Amino acid sequence: IWQVTPDTTLKALYGRAHRVPNVYERDFDDGLSQVANPDLEGETIDTLELVLDQRMGRSLSVRGSVYQWSMQGLVTLGTEAVSGLSQYQTGEDVKARGVELSADKTWDWGGRLRGSLSCQDVAYKSGAGLDNAPQVLGKLNFSGPLAATGLRLGYELQYASERQAIDGTDLAGYWLSNLQISTDKWIKGLE
C-alpha cells in the first residue's frame, strides 16, 4: 500500500487460497445417483489486483482496479466413466481478467450515492466460456432520510449482462431493482 498523496492511495494485492473438497464432494456414494471420488484433490486460486483510490474533496471518492485471478483444480460435478453416475471431479483450470470502476458520494443532509461498473473476461483454459459468468456488472445505490418521518429510503439498480447457461445457450442480460424503507427510530432496538 502506497499513500501517494493524502488523497491518493495505490495498492498492489496478491493472494493465494486453497480449498479441500468437502466430505460430500469426496465421499458421498449412494450407488444410485452419485459415486465417491476418494482421489479428488482441492482447488487453488491465485489473485493479483492493482487498486487506485482517489478522494475528491471530503464527500466524493472514486476507485479503479484491474485484476487477474486463476483457479487450478476447480471441483466440478461430472460423470464417472464406468458407472455413468454423477461424481465430483477435478475440472479444467479457469482464468479471469477484469477492471472495476466505482464512486461513492455523500452529502451533509445524510444522502449517499454509490455506483460501480465491472467488466471481466472469465474462461476455462481451453477458451470455453464459464457458465453463469456475465462480462458486465453494474450497480447504482441511493439512500437518504425522508424528512420528518424517521424513515430512510434506499433504492438500488443492478445490471448483469448476457451470460452462458449450463447447456451452452446464451441467457439474456437483466436488470434488478430494489426499494427499501427502514427506520430504527420508532422502537428502541428494533429496525
Side-chain angles (χ1 to χ4, degrees):
I1 299 173
W2 177 31
Q3 188 76 38
V4 181
T5 70
D7 294 327
T8 307
T9 304
L10 186 62
K11 302 175 198 174
L13 309 165
Y14 170 77
R16 173 172 255 204
H18 180 76
R19 182 185 79 86
V20 297
N22 62 44
V23 173
Y24 179 76
E25 292 167 333
R26 189 189 65 225
D27 299 330
F28 182 74
D29 189 339
D30 66 1
L32 299 171
S33 64
Q34 184 173 323
V35 292
N37 186 353
D39 298 324
L40 185 61
E41 296 182 8
E43 305 170 331
T44 300
I45 185 170
D46 291 295
T47 63
L48 183 61
E49 184 174 11
L50 188 61
V51 181
L52 177 67
D53 286 317
Q54 179 69 47
R55 181 158 292 287
M56 305 172 94
R58 65 181 190 88
S59 65
L60 176 64
S61 60
V62 294
R63 170 178 283 181
S65 68
V66 293
Y67 64 88
Q68 173 180 300
W69 57 259
S70 58
M71 184 179 285
Q72 300 85 33
L74 184 65
V75 174
T76 59
L77 187 61
T79 303
E80 197 262 337
V82 175
S83 67
L85 298 176
S86 295
Q87 180 187 56
Y88 282 94
Q89 301 170 343
T90 299
E92 192 176 349
D93 294 348
V94 176
K95 184 169 247 177
R97 290 188 175 121
V99 61
E100 182 173 357
L101 303 171
S102 63
D104 191 332
K105 169 75 175 166
T106 58
W107 289 274
D108 292 337
W109 52 269
R112 184 175 186 190
L113 180 65
R114 295 179 295 165
S116 65
L117 180 66
S118 301
C119 299
Q120 65 179 0
D121 180 36
V122 182
Y124 288 104
K125 190 175 183 179
S126 66
L130 191 67
D131 296 337
N132 202 28
Q135 290 186 333
V136 178
L137 295 170
K139 200 181 280 190
L140 186 64
N141 307 72
F142 172 78
S143 69
L146 291 173
T149 65
L151 297 172
R152 186 164 187 89
L153 173 72
Y155 177 74
E156 176 182 61
L157 182 63
Q158 297 178 18
Y159 172 73
S161 69
E162 180 179 274
R163 65 220 179 278
Q164 179 179 294
I166 195 167
D167 64 2
T169 61
D170 287 334
L171 298 172
Y174 65 90
W175 294 88
L176 179 64
S177 181
N178 296 304
L179 181 65
Q180 176 182 347
I181 298 175
S182 63
T183 185
D184 60 0
K185 308 282 187 223
W186 292 348
I187 300 173
K188 186 176 178 165
L190 179 66
E191 182 176 323

